[in-house]
Structure formats: C-alpha cells, structure tokens
Amino acid sequence: SLTKRRSATATFLPFHNELSINSLLEIVKLLIEQQVFKLCGTNYPTSICFIVVNEFCERFSYYGMKAVLTLYFLTYLHWDKDLSTAVYHAFSSLCYFTPILGALIADSWLGKFKTIVYLSIVYVIGHVVKSVGAIPTVGNPDVHIALSMVGLILIAFGTGGIKPCVAAFGGDQFDEENVSERQKFFSIFYMSINAGSLLSTVITPILRGDVQCFGGDCYALAFGVPAALMVVALVVFIAGSSLYKRNPPQGNILLEVCNCIGFAIKNRWQRRRYEPQRKHWLDWAEEKYSKRLIQEIKMVLRVLVLYIPLPMFWALFDQQVREDERLMNHYLWFRHMLNALMILLFVPIFDLIIYPLVGLCRINITYAEVSCSLESKECSNVNLGLLDFGGSYTEFGKVGARKMEDVKANNVHIAWQIPQYVLITTGEVMFSITGLEFSYSQAPANMKSVLQAGWLLTVAFGNVIVLIVAEGAGLEQWKEFLLFAGLLLGVFIIFSIMAYFYTYVDPDELDKIYAGDAGKEEDDHDDTKKKTKDIQLNKTGKSTRL
C-alpha cells in the first residue's frame, strides 16, 4: 500500500524541479483520497475532529440562545405568556422544517461543504442581529421586536439548513468498509450535541441574570456569547477544509425525483388497462427514467413511510419544555445537577489553590458585614427564616423587613424526577442516534442530506402536534402527558410492525449493479427483470439497530 502511494505521489514530481503550491495541494488531496490522514492509527479520519468540534460549538450557540429566549419575550419584549409560547414553538418548528431546504441545496447545487459554510454565515448574521435587538439603547421597542424576529428567522434558516448537511458530511468521511466506525461516529456526534446543549443551557442564563448591563438583565451578552461560539464553529469547520472528503452535488435531484414520480403515476393511469401489472408502481417510469434513479427513489420512499408515525415520540418528548414554566424547571433541574457536581469540584480548588493565590496578591476575600441604616433606607442582616426549596421570595427592607412568597415552595422533592429523566434520556439516546445513522446508511449517495432532513422533519411535525393539542384541546397538564404517552404507546406497536417488515438495503451496491447507468438503459427484457429486483442485503455489519 505504501509503495502504491509513493508511486502515485511521485507522478507529480517530474513536472517541477521545485514543488509548487499547486503540486503540494494535489499531493495532499491524493493523500486524503488514499486515507493516509487517520486519527491516531485508527480507521477514524482526522477530519471528523473538526466536524465534531463544529457541531459542539453550533449546538452551544443554538441552545444557549434558546435557554433565555422565552424569558426574553416575557421580560424584555413584555409579551404575554401565550404569545411567548406560540412564538417559541413557531421558531422551533421552523428550525426543523428548514433542513429540507438546506438538504436540497447541498445535494443538488452547492455540495455539503459549501452549503454548511454559506448558511453558517447566515447563522452568524442572525445571531448578531438578535444580539443587537437586545441592546436597550438601540431604537425603540418596535425596533427591538423587528430585529429579534429578523434574527430568529435568519437563525432558523442557518441552523436548519446546516443541520442535515453536517451529519451527512461526517458520514461521508468514512470508507465503505468502515461501517462500525461510522456508527460510533454518530454516537460521538450526538454526544457533542448534548455536551454543547448542556453547557450552554447553564452558562447563558447565568450571563443574563448575574451580569448586569444597561441597568438590567444582560440579554445582549446572553445572546452575544452564543453568536461568538457560532463564529468559532465556522472557523473550526473551515480550518479542516483540506482534510475533508467531498462528494460533488448530483444536479437538481429533487426536480428529477418529482418528475419521475409524476411520470410513473401518469403512465400507470394511462396504460394500466392494456398492459400487465408491474411489480412496483414506480416501475411505470422505466420508459423515461433510469432504473438506478427508480431504485433510489424506492429506497427513500421506504424510509420516509417508516418515519410517518415517529413525530409522536418528539411530541411527548417536547412536553418537558412546552410552556415557559416547564422550560425554566427543566433548565433548573440541569442547573442544580451540574451545580452540585461543580461545587464538589470547585470548593477544594478554590479553598486550596485560588483563594490562597488571591490572598498572596493582598486581595481580601471575606463576607461583607451588613447593617440597617435610616439614611440610606437599606436593610441587611435580616433574618427571614428558613426559605423553602423551590420557592421564590421578594425581600422588602427599610428599617424592618418582611418576606412575600412569589411562588409556592415544592412539596415533592425534585429528586423524584431522576428516574423519569433517566428513562427519557435513555429513550432519546436509543432513538436519536439510531435515527441519524439509519437515515444515512439507507440513503443513496445523492440523497443523504435529503433523508437526514426527512428524519429532522419528524421533530418539526412533533412540535406541530404539540401546538395543535395544547391550543385546541385545552387539557390540564397531567391529562396532556397521559394523552401523549398513550398515543406514543400506540405508535410503538404500529412502528414495531412496520419495522418488522422493513428490508435493509445497501446503497453502495447501486454503484456495482448500475455501473455506467447514465440515462435510460437499453437492456433486454431478461436483464431488466434481473436488475430491477429490489436489493435485499441483510448483511451483518450493514444493519442498524432499528
């Protein structure tokens, strides 16, 4: 193998006494194609490091912004709860409907790499506009609303457009024989999503509440930090450009697919009375379209049909964050868990390392003594008694002080939520990672982003179901939970039956079976019957944990 690479590389050398930049680039390109750049001697290409880091930063950017979005609507734009909830879910839904647009641009026109770069720029612009809209000194409330909406729309097109492309682009970096490594990559990829989500959900609310700017909560900073992380994501992704394996776009595949389906339906309707029935309704397009395209469309439609019942999973999953109260409780849960871990870690670090070092600089870190003053009308050192966990209190102090309970304290310990969150997280991991890998493995090479977008559309329709039920049914919270849980139980049974009858396919086999198939094939009838059989490849190692 090394001799082969040396001889291949040497073909560039006789043309130049000294290596030019172009020659070096060609050599690097050849080495990438030969898969010389591997990660620590494994079958993982080095390029996936840039993709994973990019995804971590992008998810930090997205979820960091969303963590304070509802509070921004309520306390900064002064919208009511219903409007805030509606806009929040409309934005979330748009983020999962736009992937189909990004997928079509990637597979049909620009390719995945350029699509990710260009839409990331749109993404960054959206964050900047959103951050500027959160600066109180910029314009009036109408300007703030306008900038916020424009920013959110740009963010939705940016995050949605790159979402299916990044996952598919990561899968493209692996060779055909490295299926197990590719499956593990999607697990790592999903871990990076959740790592970025967890950290940002903790950090950005702290920036909003604990940092004061313009005389109040600092939403500009809370939105500005995610914007900076998106810039980092873009820079990291571009930095790995010389290492990526890129598959060129295949033309306007969506138009071709739609025309093929339309022709098959029309041809079947016109000729079904005087011609024998064909094995599949798409086979009626054989007179005009290639057998390879027909087979690829069959593969995609099989998977999309399988996805029809899946939005109900996300409808139940999103019950955690349907309203702003639940969203904040969900955030506080993660914050308390992470806060406990950070306290265990940071207390000895601060006591043994940081505080002694600060003391050496003659900076005194002590608890400030407070007292009551008639002149300043401020009061401290006030004993309000034991404040119950889960309650929110306001302290009024002049010379005396009293407390007013804003939110009633919890009478059920938050630890009782741990088993539920363990089960929910287990289900999410099994469902989401498998769905990403399944969507990639079952898609033809020219439709991988499209099928990734199809998977993401299940999230979008799940949000739509939540909005319809929440706004239309008007049920109590526990009844909604029970309703969605019951519906998902039914979906589980239906999907199990559908999955049982699903036949796995290997898209890579199309290259072998339909090699050189450009346009309509002119095979005889026997060859046609042989080649148009569905590809059934239930090989071990090629399957997904459906």
Side-chain angles (χ1 to χ4, degrees):
S1 176
L2 182 60
T3 305
K4 180 180 178 181
R5 288 171 183 158
R6 283 177 177 171
S7 62
T9 305
T11 58
F12 293 100
L13 302 182
F15 297 99
H16 303 278
N17 293 328
E18 295 182 359
L19 287 176
S20 65
I21 296 296
N22 289 335
S23 299
L24 287 173
L25 290 175
E26 290 294 328
I27 292 173
V28 170
K29 182 179 178 182
L30 180 66
L31 292 175
I32 293 172
E33 292 173 353
Q34 296 284 339
Q35 293 296 310
V36 173
F37 297 126
K38 295 290 187 178
L39 191 60
C40 301
T42 66
N43 288 325
Y44 293 93
T46 307
S47 56
I48 66 169
C49 295
F50 295 90
I51 295 172
V52 169
V53 173
N54 164 268
E55 185 65 13
F56 168 82
C57 295
E58 189 273 327
R59 291 290 85 186
F60 187 106
S61 171
Y62 176 74
Y63 284 108
M65 181 273 300
K66 281 190 72 177
V68 296
L69 188 58
T70 303
L71 290 174
Y72 174 76
F73 292 153
L74 290 168
T75 62
Y76 186 84
L77 298 182
H78 303 293
W79 290 351
D80 59 38
K81 186 179 71 173
D82 293 335
L83 179 59
S84 300
T85 302
V87 174
Y88 178 88
H89 278 289
F91 168 71
S92 299
S93 298
L94 184 60
C95 290
Y96 284 96
F97 277 114
T98 50
I100 193 68
L101 178 62
L104 295 176
I105 294 174
D107 286 345
S108 304
W109 181 27
L110 295 177
K112 298 182 186 73
F113 176 78
K114 289 184 178 179
T115 301
I116 294 171
V117 172
Y118 294 159
L119 289 181
S120 293
I121 294 173
V122 174
Y123 201 164
V124 170
I125 295 172
H127 268 303
V128 172
V129 172
K130 185 78 182 67
S131 302
V132 172
I135 300 175
T137 57
V138 176
N140 54 39
D142 292 335
V143 173
H144 298 158
I145 293 174
L147 291 175
S148 298
M149 293 303 101
V150 170
L152 287 176
I153 291 172
L154 292 176
I155 290 172
F157 277 96
T159 186
I162 69 174
K163 201 183 292 285
C165 303
V166 176
F169 191 63
D172 288 346
Q173 307 307 305
F174 293 85
D175 293 332
E176 179 184 346
E177 62 271 13
N178 297 329
V179 177
S180 61
E181 287 83 1
R182 189 183 66 206
Q183 289 178 342
K184 291 183 178 67
F185 159 75
F186 283 108
S187 297
I188 297 170
F189 185 82
Y190 200 73
M191 286 175 62
S192 70
I193 292 175
N194 286 275
S197 169
L198 178 61
L199 288 177
S200 65
T201 305
V202 171
I203 293 173
T204 52
I206 294 175
L207 295 176
R208 177 200 66 85
D210 295 358
V211 179
Q212 297 294 307
C213 60
F214 305 105
D217 291 341
C218 200
Y219 283 104
L221 180 62
F223 291 141
V225 170
L229 262 292
M230 191 57 221
V231 173
V232 173
L234 178 58
V235 171
V236 169
F237 184 77
I238 295 176
S241 58
S242 62
L243 301 175
Y244 297 138
K245 182 195 293 185
R246 309 184 198 180
N247 295 328
Q250 304 292 321
N252 196 339
I253 188 66
L254 177 65
L255 181 62
E256 194 172 7
V257 168
C258 293
N259 288 339
C260 180
I261 293 175
F263 181 81
I265 295 173
K266 178 183 176 181
N267 200 31
R268 181 188 181 189
W269 178 260
Q270 293 177 345
R271 305 173 65 174
R272 62 190 173 93
R273 296 181 180 177
Y274 52 87
E275 286 193 14
Q277 190 69 19
R278 303 190 184 183
K279 185 176 181 181
H280 192 280
W281 63 270
L282 274 171
D283 293 336
W284 289 92
E286 288 179 352
E287 285 80 3
K288 185 175 180 180
Y289 294 93
S290 67
K291 297 179 179 66
R292 173 170 185 158
L293 177 64
I294 293 171
Q295 184 63 41
E296 289 173 341
I297 297 174
K298 289 180 184 177
M299 293 164 59
V300 171
L301 291 181
R302 282 196 201 101
V303 177
L304 292 179
V305 169
L306 202 63
Y307 286 169
I308 290 175
L310 299 187
M312 192 53 63
F313 175 91
W314 297 113
L316 178 60
F317 186 84
D318 285 346
Q319 289 302 298
Q320 302 171 83
V321 291
R322 189 180 70 79
E323 293 180 355
D324 55 288
E325 294 96 343
R326 271 177 269 172
L327 185 144
M328 288 187 285
N329 286 337
H330 185 58
Y331 149 68
L332 287 171
W333 159 250
F334 279 110
R335 181 176 181 178
H336 289 140
M337 285 292 293
L338 189 61
N339 187 44
L341 294 175
M342 292 176 69
I343 287 174
L344 293 174
L345 178 64
F346 287 167
V347 164
I349 293 177
F350 274 75
D351 285 343
L352 300 177
I353 301 175
I354 296 179
Y355 287 155
L357 289 177
V358 172
L360 291 175
C361 300
R362 297 184 178 180
I363 300 175
N364 188 25
I365 301 179
T366 60
Y367 296 105
E369 183 177 352
V370 290
S371 59
C372 294
S373 170
L374 288 173
E375 296 178 358
S376 64
K377 295 184 179 180
E378 293 179 355
C379 185
S380 55
N381 256 355
V382 178
N383 182 14
L384 296 178
L386 180 63
L387 302 182
D388 294 326
F389 180 79
S392 175
Y393 302 92
T394 301
E395 176 183 331
F396 296 93
K398 291 186 179 179
V399 176
R402 63 185 179 87
K403 67 176 180 180
M404 183 179 72
E405 189 177 46
D406 297 327
V407 179
K408 290 185 178 180
N410 295 329
N411 55 13
V412 178
H413 198 282
I414 196 171
W416 286 107
Q417 294 184 19
I418 294 177
Q420 294 94 309
Y421 273 89
V422 169
L423 290 173
I424 290 171
T425 304
T426 302
E428 180 191 5
V429 168
M430 296 175 67
F431 188 82
S432 298
I433 297 175
T434 304
L436 284 172
E437 197 276 329
F438 177 77
S439 300
Y440 183 89
S441 67
Q442 297 298 286
N446 58 348
M447 299 186 200
K448 291 193 179 295
S449 295
V450 170
L451 209 48
Q452 288 286 331
W455 168 254
L456 294 170
L457 279 176
T458 63
V459 184
F461 284 111
N463 269 284
V464 171
I465 293 172
V466 171
L467 279 175
I468 293 173
V469 174
E471 298 299 327
L475 299 174
E476 296 179 43
Q477 180 177 326
W478 70 270
K479 291 181 180 178
E480 282 190 28
F481 285 174
L482 194 60
L483 172 64
F484 283 112
L487 291 173
L488 186 58
L489 180 62
V491 165
F492 156 72
I493 297 172
I494 295 171
F495 182 76
S496 298
I497 297 172
M498 296 172 67
Y500 179 80
F501 290 102
Y502 181 82
T503 303
Y504 283 95
V505 298
D506 185 358
D508 296 324
E509 290 295 315
L510 290 176
D511 294 328
K512 302 173 184 177
I513 295 178
Y514 298 110
D517 178 20
K520 184 179 179 298
E521 297 175 0
E522 300 293 338
D523 300 324
D524 57 33
H525 182 67
D526 292 335
D527 251 357
T528 300
K529 288 185 65 178
K530 181 178 179 181
K531 285 190 177 182
T532 53
K533 289 182 179 179
D534 289 343
I535 308 170
Q536 301 188 9
L537 296 163
N538 294 318
K539 298 180 180 177
T540 55
K542 295 285 186 182
S543 64
T544 307
R545 299 174 296 277
L546 188 58

